[in-house]
């Protein structure tokens, strides 16, 4: 549930509770006022009827339709009943009347003045149907219920609108934070004009972004410096191996071994170059060496370099080209070769024994290079494979950087890299535009 929904729900619940309690109090007060007004009207009616009663001679007024009246005269120590309406209860106590006629009648008792009966007391008990009173009360309750539900709906709608207006600055902060897409972006979130809690939140986020930028910059500098330091001994080793291989007096039996070592040193040198490229993302485009590259020749060259690796892992490699295109791709040949070597090497290492690694080259409007291999597992994660230091099989050789570097270099070449893994088959698909840069 979103923050806006929780705020609206909380406000609606609080409003519902408070308005229900306050409405109940007002409804109770209104019902009491209606009953008091009804009783006063009945009392006036009873007083008027009492004023018409006379004992000597006996004069009695008649009650109206559906009214019931009881007239008693108390004098000289005894009580005499002067009049009783048909259906009036035998026991005339007010409590008894209230219990019997509580839901249908209101009971009012009026007593005479002394000049009207100087030797006794005249009591008139009048019961009046309260149907109109109950109708008014029911109508009042219905109006209150509908009004409460309507006000609750309006409060929910108004709360939703107001919550959106109040959360708009937070959404602005979120939108600005989303525009900071990567660690190379040194922009900061705009501070609000009002120095409230949102200002403190934005300032805290900016200071946190500043600390993250400083740490990442420090790591990049260390990364680049370490790569620079390693390039020198690798260059010395590469030069020594090349000089040794160029010597005709060297034993021919160790030349294949030295050639393999030279290939590994060259591969390490290329890996360091890519590390340097990734450690300077702002300068990566300027470091690209764009030229025309014929993809089939480059793929075939990569397969040739990885022949010995395929033999070691007991797999075979094959190249399939649907139609031999004549188009060239404008890209960085060294970086594209590094991507292809990583993809094919990854396929060889994780392929099932005695299986074949298939490399397909397709061309329509873009170049598509698909590397497919059979695996011992049915399926596995694909998004995690482009994360640094993640290995699908920890028992295999490597550090989990190959696909991550390939993904980053593919983005640098304005291409896309897709990974699929299902039914014991893993597929890497590299798509490059004809003019990648």
């Amino acid at each position: 549930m979103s923050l806006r929904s929780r705020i609206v729900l909380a406000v609606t619940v609080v409003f519902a509770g408070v308005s229900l309690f306050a409405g109940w109090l007002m409804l109770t007060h209104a019902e009491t006022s209606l009953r008091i007004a009804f009783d006063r009207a009945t009392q006036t009616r009873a007083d008027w009827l009492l004023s018409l009663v006379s004992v000597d001679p006996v004069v009695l007024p008649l009650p109206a339709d559906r009214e019931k009246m009881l007239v008693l005269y108390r004098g000289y120590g005894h009580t005499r009943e002067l009049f009783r309406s048909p259906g009036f209860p035998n026991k005339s106590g007010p409590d008894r009347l209230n219990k019997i006629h509580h839901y249908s009648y209101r009971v009012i008792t009026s007593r005479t003045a002394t000049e009207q009966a100087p030797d006794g007391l005249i009591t008139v008990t009048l019961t009046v149907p309260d149907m109109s009173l109950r109708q008014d009360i029911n109508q009042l309750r219905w109006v209150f219920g509908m009004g409460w539900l309507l006000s609750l709906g309006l409060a929910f709608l108004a709360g939703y609108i107001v919550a959106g207006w109040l959360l708009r600055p937070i959404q602005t902060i979120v939108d600005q934070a989303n525009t900071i897409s990567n660690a190379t972006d040194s922009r900061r979130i705009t501070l609000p004009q009002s120095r409230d809690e949102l200002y403190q939140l934005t300032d805290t986020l900016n200071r946190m972004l500043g600390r993250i930028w400083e740490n990442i910059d420090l790591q990049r500098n260390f990364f680049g410096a370490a790569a620079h330091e390693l390039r020198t001994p690798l260059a010395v080793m590469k030069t020594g191996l090349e000089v040794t291989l160029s010597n005709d007096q060297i034993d021919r039996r160790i030349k294949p071994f030295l050639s393999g070592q030279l290939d590994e040193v060259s591969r390490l040198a290329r890996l360091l170059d890519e590390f340097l490229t990734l450690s300077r993302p702002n300068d990566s485009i300027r470091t690209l060496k764009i030229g025309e590259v014929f993809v089939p020749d480059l793929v075939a060259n990569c397969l040739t370099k990885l022949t010995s690796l395929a033999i070691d892992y007991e797999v075979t490699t094959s190249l399939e080209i649907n139609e031999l295109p004549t188009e060239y791709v404008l890209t960085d040949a060294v970086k594209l070769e590094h991507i292809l070597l990583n993809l094919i090497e990854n396929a060889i290492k994780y392929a099932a024994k005695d299986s074949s690694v298939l490399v397909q080259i397709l061309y329509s409007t873009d170049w598509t290079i698909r590397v497919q291999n059979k695996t011992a597992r049915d399926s596995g994660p694909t998004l995690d494979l482009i994360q640094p230091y993640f290995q699908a099989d920890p028992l295999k050789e490597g550090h989990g950087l190959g696909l991550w570097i390939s993904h980053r270099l593919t983005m640098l070449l304005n291409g896309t890299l897709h990974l699929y893994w299902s039914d014991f088959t893993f597929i890497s698909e590299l798509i490059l535009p004809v003019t990648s840069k």
Side-chain angles (χ1 to χ4, degrees):
M1 184 181 293
S2 63
L3 178 60
R4 183 178 186 178
S5 300
R6 286 190 298 230
I7 292 176
V8 173
L9 181 61
V11 171
T12 304
V13 170
V14 172
F15 175 81
V18 173
S19 61
L20 184 62
F21 178 72
W24 175 78
L25 291 178
M26 292 187 292
L27 180 63
T28 302
H29 180 72
E31 291 180 3
T32 303
S33 300
L34 287 176
R35 292 189 180 95
I36 291 175
F38 190 86
D39 290 342
R40 285 177 178 174
T42 306
Q43 183 70 51
T44 302
R45 171 70 175 169
D47 292 341
W48 181 77
L49 291 174
L50 179 59
S51 66
L52 300 178
V53 176
S54 176
V55 178
D56 187 17
V58 176
V59 178
L60 297 173
L62 293 178
D65 186 24
R66 291 192 297 180
E67 290 182 347
K68 298 182 186 301
M69 185 175 67
L70 175 65
V71 181
L72 299 176
Y73 174 71
R74 293 181 180 91
Y76 303 106
H78 67 277
T79 301
R80 185 175 56 160
E81 185 177 291
L82 300 180
F83 177 82
R84 176 187 292 271
S85 298
F88 201 92
N90 292 327
K91 294 183 179 181
S92 58
D95 295 338
R96 177 64 177 172
L97 290 172
N98 281 329
K99 291 179 181 178
I100 295 176
H101 304 286
H102 178 72
Y103 295 101
S104 300
Y105 292 89
R106 301 292 292 179
V107 181
I108 296 296
T109 300
S110 181
R111 291 174 176 82
T112 184
T114 55
E115 57 272 7
Q116 208 173 345
D119 297 327
L121 179 66
I122 299 176
T123 302
V124 174
T125 302
L126 183 65
T127 62
V128 180
D130 60 351
M131 183 180 297
S132 61
L133 174 63
R134 287 185 288 111
Q135 289 178 350
D136 292 340
I137 291 176
N138 291 335
Q139 185 177 8
L140 182 64
R141 291 176 178 175
W142 184 85
V143 170
F144 166 76
M146 294 302 297
W148 181 75
L149 292 176
L150 180 60
S151 62
L152 192 63
L154 292 176
F156 180 84
L157 180 61
Y160 191 82
I161 297 174
V162 172
W165 176 72
L166 292 176
L167 293 177
R168 189 179 302 169
I170 297 181
Q171 186 62 45
T172 302
I173 295 175
V174 173
D175 294 339
Q176 292 186 22
N178 288 332
T179 58
I180 305 176
S181 56
N182 51 56
T184 63
D185 198 337
S186 60
R187 288 179 294 171
R188 296 295 181 264
I189 303 173
T190 306
L191 292 172
Q193 296 180 355
S194 58
R195 292 181 173 269
D196 51 6
E197 289 79 4
L198 291 178
Y199 182 92
Q200 298 177 4
L201 174 63
T202 307
D203 184 60
T204 302
L205 289 175
N206 284 337
R207 285 189 275 112
M208 181 186 68
L209 289 174
R211 291 193 298 269
I212 293 175
W213 170 256
E214 291 177 359
N215 291 332
I216 291 177
D217 194 42
L218 181 63
Q219 292 177 5
R220 285 203 185 107
N221 291 335
F222 173 78
F223 198 30
H228 273 295
E229 291 296 327
L230 290 174
R231 290 180 71 181
T232 300
L234 283 177
V236 173
M237 293 171 60
K238 183 178 180 181
T239 303
L241 288 171
E242 290 174 346
V243 172
T244 303
L245 287 172
S246 63
N247 190 353
D248 296 334
Q249 299 179 356
I250 190 173
D251 191 349
R252 293 182 177 180
R253 291 175 297 178
I254 65 172
K255 273 192 174 184
F257 172 76
L258 294 178
S259 298
Q261 296 299 311
L262 179 60
D263 292 338
E264 291 299 320
V265 170
S266 301
R267 181 167 172 266
L268 285 175
R270 289 197 305 272
L271 184 62
L272 284 179
D273 290 337
E274 306 309 333
F275 281 165
L276 284 174
T277 300
L278 296 178
S279 68
R280 298 188 300 264
N282 292 333
D283 301 330
S284 298
I285 297 179
R286 292 196 295 268
T287 61
L288 293 177
K289 298 179 180 179
I290 303 299
E292 290 186 347
V293 178
F294 190 60
V295 174
D297 291 346
L298 185 62
V299 173
N301 186 36
C302 293
L303 289 173
T304 302
K305 290 184 178 180
L306 295 174
T307 301
S308 60
L309 181 67
I311 295 174
D312 293 338
Y313 280 87
E314 301 179 11
V315 298
T316 59
T317 60
S318 60
L319 177 62
E320 181 180 299
I321 304 174
N322 290 350
E323 294 182 5
L324 187 61
T326 59
E327 297 289 336
Y328 286 79
V329 59
L330 293 177
T331 186
D332 189 312
V334 175
K335 291 178 173 53
L336 179 57
E337 182 185 23
H338 192 87
I339 296 172
L340 295 174
L341 288 173
N342 277 340
L343 296 181
I344 300 173
E345 180 181 354
N346 182 78
I348 292 173
K349 288 182 178 180
Y350 288 92
K353 286 187 178 181
D354 299 325
S355 63
S356 177
V357 175
L358 175 63
V359 181
Q360 295 177 306
I361 299 177
L362 308 173
Y363 177 79
S364 57
T365 57
D366 297 325
W367 285 94
T368 301
I369 306 167
R370 185 178 297 138
V371 182
Q372 176 178 319
N373 64 286
K374 294 292 182 180
T375 60
R377 291 169 53 186
D378 181 15
S379 62
T382 54
L383 292 178
D384 293 335
L385 292 174
I386 58 176
Q387 301 298 323
Y389 310 111
F390 181 85
Q391 290 181 271
D393 188 354
L395 299 179
K396 296 289 184 179
E397 294 181 1
H399 302 285
L401 292 173
L403 290 179
W404 172 67
I405 293 176
S406 299
H407 175 66
R408 296 292 299 274
L409 291 178
T410 301
M411 295 174 60
L412 191 62
L413 298 180
N414 201 29
T416 55
L417 177 62
H418 301 288
L419 304 178
Y420 310 96
W421 192 352
S422 64
D423 297 332
F424 299 95
T425 303
F426 184 82
I427 299 175
S428 310
E429 190 175 79
L430 175 65
I431 301 176
L432 288 173
V434 176
T435 55
S436 65
K437 284 291 178 181

